[in-house]
């Protein structure tokens, strides 16, 4: 019964995604939903994209073994990322009216920086999408009672998500995300009520966790501990900002205000609801301690699904696995679309067009769909062959964007003196430092590889921008890009009288 309920839900949501394809008429519709999304849909797609397999399976497994200290990267770092995007990045990027985040790097720092950052962004999605595909294989295996293998589940999941993403693009992602957010919230709260009743109430579970030291968050007062803790936090918080899926949600909004507040509210909701799966997983230590002990040693990601299957009634099982599939699907569809769009726009488009004869919009849309298909195949193969846990696949995905793309994005928007040469040196210094430490296996080095890479990237940007310029740079481009960001400020000062002294 559970399997057929899940399959019906799966097919209905795919059908809704295909219906959304009727709204796609050009690349702008495919990539950013024609900039037509209202506030509730932007909020929903921000929340649902980030509430993925790592939130339901990966974070709780890590929390059980390491406590609150172990989940600093996600949900603490990842939710703060979305809030920071809303506060500092949504408005200036929205006013630039671009199709991809790679377009920002191209306009601000030139073709070379555009290619380097785009490739880094695309590579970073392997880990994130791979985690969703891995989780799909696990879910299909569990709900079918082992009749569908994990490998078959991966292929079934990735191919069906591909169908509606391929045709519906951002419209399909946004509409299905809105519905899936509703399922996630209702499903998580429902199963939370069932599980807390079995464990003796919310207070009992929270008190037990507190006594077990599970809420110890801050690191020990040791320099290496503090730096490692900060590096884990910063990797997700800053490394996730220069990402196409985040950029797409900003650009898809109907207005600038929606782009800002949709990101802030979506990130805040994500932070709150990410604690529900952690509560459920810890409840399992009170309800089925022997099962938790066995799975913690072999496959901690299975603790929550096994708890629901063994102890919850059918309705609760349907609600839980419906919410889990919603979480995975919304995350997977968005993260398949984002790298495919930016790779096509920023890498392929200049190569496929001829001088004076740019690629037509129709051909560009076809290219985006072909790249989406190819990327799905590549990432499914990556997931099949990866031995990392879901949490580690997601956590490590953002290291490459942290060391290459974050500093050029921040300085490109907020530092007028940043130059093409500075951006190029930032990318080179960050990437070289990160790779050198990784290849050297420097686990005992006081600075984690990605944190050292971030610091060197910042140093490279400052040095490269202030030294004599060997690369062509047009300082007026910063003002041109930022003009929209300051337009309201200038208008205010033109229309308002200037007072020589502060007014009360």
């Amino acid at each position: 019964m559970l399997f057929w309920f899940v399959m019906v839900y799966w097919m209905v949501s795919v059908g809704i995604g295909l219906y959304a394809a009727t709204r796609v008429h050009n690349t702008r519709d495919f990539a950013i939903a024609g900039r037509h999304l209202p506030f509730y849909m932007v909020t929903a797609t921000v929340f649902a994209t980030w509430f993925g397999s790592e939130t339901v399976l990966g974070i709780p497994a890590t929390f059980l073994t390491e406590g609150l200290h172990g989940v600093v990267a996600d949900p603490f770092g990842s939710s703060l990322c979305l809030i920071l995007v809303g506060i500092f990045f949504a408005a200036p990027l929205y006013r630039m009216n671009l199709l991809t985040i790679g377009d920002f790097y191209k306009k601000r720092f030139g073709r070379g920086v555009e290619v380097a950052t785009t490739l880094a962004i695309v590579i970073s999605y392997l880990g994130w999408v791979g985690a969703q595909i891995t989780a799909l294989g696990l879910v299909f295996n569990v709900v079918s009672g082992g009749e569908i293998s994990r490998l078959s589940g991966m292929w079934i999941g990735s191919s069906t998500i591909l169908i509606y993403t391929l045709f519906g693009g951002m419209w399909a992602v946004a509409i299905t995300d809105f519905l899936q957010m509703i399922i996630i919230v209702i499903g998580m709260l429902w199963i939370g009520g069932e599980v807390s009743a079995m464990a003796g109430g919310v207070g009992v579970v929270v008190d037990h966790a507190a006594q077990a030291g599970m809420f110890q968050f801050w690191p020990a007062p040791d320099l290496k501990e503090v730096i490692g803790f900060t590096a884990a936090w910063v990797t997700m918080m800053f490394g996730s900002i220069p990402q196409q899926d985040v950029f797409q949600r900003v650009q898809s909004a109907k207005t600038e205000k929606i782009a800002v507040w949709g990101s802030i509210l979506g990130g805040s909701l994500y932070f709150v609801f990410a604690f529900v799966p952690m509560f459920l997983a810890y409840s399992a230590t009170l309800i089925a301690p022997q099962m938790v002990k066995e799975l913690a040693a072999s496959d901690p990601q299975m603790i929550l699904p096994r708890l629901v299957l063994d102890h919850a009634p059918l309705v609760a099982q349907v609600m839980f696995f419906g919410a889990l599939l919603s979480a995975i699907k919304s995350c997977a569809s968005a993260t398949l679309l984002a790298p495919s769009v930016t790779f096509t726009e920023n890498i392929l488009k200049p190569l496929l067009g001829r001088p004076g004869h740019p690629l037509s919009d129709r051909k560009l849309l076809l290219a985006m769909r072909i790249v989406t298909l190819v990327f799905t195949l590549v990432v499914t193969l990556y997931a099949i062959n990866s031995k990392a846990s879901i949490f580690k696949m997601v956590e490590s995905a953002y290291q490459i964007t942290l060391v290459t793309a974050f500093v050029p994005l921040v300085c490109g928007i907020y530092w007028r003196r940043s130059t093409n040469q500075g951006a190029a040196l930032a990318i080179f210094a960050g990437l070289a430092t990160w790779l050198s430490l990784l290849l050297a296996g420097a686990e005992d080095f006081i600075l984690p590889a990605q944190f050292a890479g971030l610091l060197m990237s910042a140093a490279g940007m400052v040095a490269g921008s202030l030294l004599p310029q060997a690369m062509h740079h047009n300082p007026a481009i910063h003002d041109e890009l930022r003009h929209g960001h300051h337009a309201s400020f200038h208008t205010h000062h033109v229309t308002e009288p200037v007072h020589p002294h502060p007014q009360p």
Side-chain angles (χ1 to χ4, degrees):
M1 284 292 290
L2 172 63
F3 175 72
W4 288 112
F5 270 122
V6 167
M7 291 309 294
V8 168
Y9 165 70
W10 184 262
M11 297 312 296
V12 168
S13 58
V14 170
I16 292 169
L18 285 174
Y19 164 75
T22 59
R23 292 172 176 250
V24 176
H25 306 293
N26 52 47
T27 53
R28 196 174 176 81
D29 289 336
F30 188 80
I32 54 174
R35 277 195 149 194
H36 291 313
L37 297 188
F39 177 68
Y40 67 90
M41 288 189 79
V42 173
T43 302
T45 193
V46 167
F47 169 85
T49 297
W50 285 65
F51 203 100
S53 62
E54 72 285 355
T55 316
V56 184
L57 301 176
I59 294 174
T62 305
F63 174 71
L64 283 180
T65 54
E66 300 178 37
L68 210 58
H69 177 83
V71 295
V72 59
D74 196 2
F76 289 91
S78 51
S79 55
L80 270 172
C81 157
L82 296 170
I83 293 168
L84 290 175
V85 166
I87 296 171
F88 295 107
F89 297 92
L93 289 173
Y94 187 85
R95 292 175 190 177
M96 290 174 194
N97 196 16
L98 307 171
L99 192 68
T100 69
I101 195 167
D103 290 342
F104 167 79
Y105 293 108
K106 175 176 66 178
K107 288 182 179 294
R108 184 64 175 85
F109 296 119
R111 174 68 177 159
V113 171
E114 173 197 15
V115 171
T117 50
T118 297
L119 288 174
I121 289 166
V122 170
I123 291 168
S124 73
Y125 278 97
L126 283 174
W128 197 6
V129 191
Q132 312 315 313
I133 303 299
T134 301
L136 283 173
L138 184 151
V139 172
F140 278 115
N141 177 254
V142 169
V143 299
S144 67
E147 291 295 315
I148 299 175
S149 68
R150 288 197 183 192
L151 179 62
S152 300
M154 287 184 189
W155 283 112
I156 293 169
S158 62
S159 58
T160 47
I161 289 172
L162 170 67
I163 292 170
Y164 71 81
T165 308
L166 191 71
F167 294 104
M170 188 61 195
W171 268 118
V173 170
I175 292 172
T176 53
D177 276 0
F178 175 65
L179 297 171
Q180 285 158 359
M181 175 183 171
I182 296 170
I183 299 293
I184 290 168
V185 170
I186 294 173
M188 284 290 127
L189 292 177
W190 184 295
I191 195 70
E194 293 280 347
V195 169
S196 65
M198 285 188 273
V202 175
V204 172
V205 177
V206 172
D207 288 345
H208 193 280
Q211 290 171 17
M214 299 300 288
F215 297 146
Q216 177 61 41
F217 179 68
W218 298 107
D222 172 78
L223 182 61
K224 190 173 181 183
E225 281 275 322
V226 171
I227 290 174
F229 178 85
T230 306
W233 198 334
V234 163
T235 300
M236 286 288 279
M237 183 167 58
F238 292 162
S240 309
I241 289 175
Q243 288 285 357
Q244 176 62 19
D245 64 282
V246 176
F247 180 85
Q248 276 178 309
R249 273 129 201 82
V250 167
Q251 292 295 340
S252 299
K254 194 180 287 185
T255 67
E256 178 187 315
K257 194 173 181 180
I258 289 173
V260 171
W261 287 105
S263 186
I264 292 172
L265 182 57
S268 302
L269 287 173
Y270 173 74
F271 180 75
V272 171
F273 275 93
F275 283 91
V276 177
M278 283 190 264
F279 168 80
L280 297 176
Y282 194 80
S283 299
T285 62
L286 279 69
I287 299 167
Q290 188 58 37
M291 179 269 289
V292 172
K293 186 177 179 181
E294 291 171 3
L295 286 176
S298 56
D299 190 1
Q301 293 167 169
M302 278 296 296
I303 290 173
L304 202 45
R306 183 51 54 195
L307 171 73
V308 173
L309 282 175
D310 291 350
H311 297 277
L314 179 62
V315 175
Q317 291 179 22
V318 171
M319 295 301 289
F320 172 77
F321 284 103
L324 177 54
L325 281 173
S326 292
I328 298 169
K329 285 174 65 180
S330 58
C331 191
S333 59
T335 49
L336 283 176
L337 179 67
S340 306
V341 166
T342 194
F343 183 82
T344 310
E345 170 71 14
N346 300 110
I347 304 294
L348 282 186
K349 183 180 173 182
L351 298 175
L352 296 175
R354 301 194 312 274
H357 295 84
L359 205 62
S360 70
D361 192 78
R362 187 166 150 273
K363 288 183 178 177
L364 184 61
L365 180 58
L366 176 62
M368 284 181 178
R369 285 172 166 156
I370 292 171
V371 171
T372 305
L373 171 62
V374 172
F375 188 76
T376 304
L377 291 172
V378 170
V379 83
T380 305
L381 291 171
Y382 170 81
I384 288 169
N385 292 288
S386 176
K387 303 300 180 190
S389 70
I390 289 171
F391 187 82
K392 285 298 178 188
M393 286 169 80
V394 172
E395 187 181 25
S396 61
Y398 300 110
Q399 293 190 15
I400 188 169
T401 44
L402 178 71
V403 302
T404 57
F406 176 69
V407 170
L409 177 65
V410 175
C411 292
I413 294 174
Y414 287 104
W415 190 32
R416 188 179 187 277
R417 295 186 66 183
S418 60
T419 65
N420 299 15
Q421 178 176 282
L425 194 56
I427 293 168
F428 175 78
L431 190 62
T433 303
W434 176 64
L435 286 176
S436 298
L437 290 174
L438 280 184
L439 294 173
E443 287 88 1
D444 295 327
F445 189 60
I446 193 164
L447 287 177
Q450 76 273 23
F451 199 44
L454 173 64
L455 296 177
M456 288 304 294
S457 178
M461 173 60 84
V462 173
S465 297
L466 298 182
L467 288 171
Q469 301 299 298
M471 297 173 67
H472 172 72
H473 174 66
N474 177 14
I477 196 67
H478 178 267
D479 302 322
E480 184 184 317
L481 280 172
R482 289 277 286 171
H483 176 72
H485 186 43
H486 288 301
S488 58
F489 175 84
H490 291 317
T491 304
H492 173 77
H493 281 269
V494 169
T495 55
E496 293 292 324
V498 177
H499 299 285
H501 302 291
Q503 298 299 303

